[in-house]
């Protein structure tokens, strides 16, 4: 996947080729599921949400503010 240089995603650690595998502990398979998980976290009053990202060299976690 692409990551826009200087974007909030890049500043948080997303890199080109990363694939979002889960958001907030739930597996996701589409951009819509990612958006829904983020909106759910916002409605629940969470300050951040944890993304599990797959890359060539394995998986890692990135916390993203949702305020």
């Amino acid at each position: 996947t692409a990551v826009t240089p200087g974007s909030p995603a890049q500043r948080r650690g997303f890199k080109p080729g990363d694939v979002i595998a889960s958001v907030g502990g739930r597996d996701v398979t589409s951009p819509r599921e990612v958006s829904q998980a983020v909106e759910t976290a916002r409605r629940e009053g969470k300050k951040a949400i944890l993304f599990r990202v797959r890359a060539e060299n394995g998986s890692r976690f990135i916390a993203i503010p949702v305020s």
Side-chain angles (χ1 to χ4, degrees):
T1 58
V3 178
T4 303
S7 68
Q10 183 190 39
R11 288 193 298 271
R12 288 288 174 182
F14 284 93
K15 298 176 183 166
D18 285 351
V19 175
I20 298 170
S22 69
V23 180
R26 297 182 130 173
D27 290 346
V28 293
T29 59
S30 70
R32 181 180 175 163
E33 290 179 335
V34 172
S35 295
Q36 289 172 336
V38 170
E39 277 306 309
T40 297
R42 280 190 182 121
R43 280 195 309 272
E44 292 174 352
K46 295 185 179 177
K47 294 182 182 179
I49 192 165
L50 195 61
F51 284 66
R52 182 170 54 89
V53 179
R54 286 193 317 257
E56 285 183 10
N57 58 350
S59 293
R60 66 184 186 285
F61 291 92
I62 300 173
I64 302 293
V66 293
S67 56

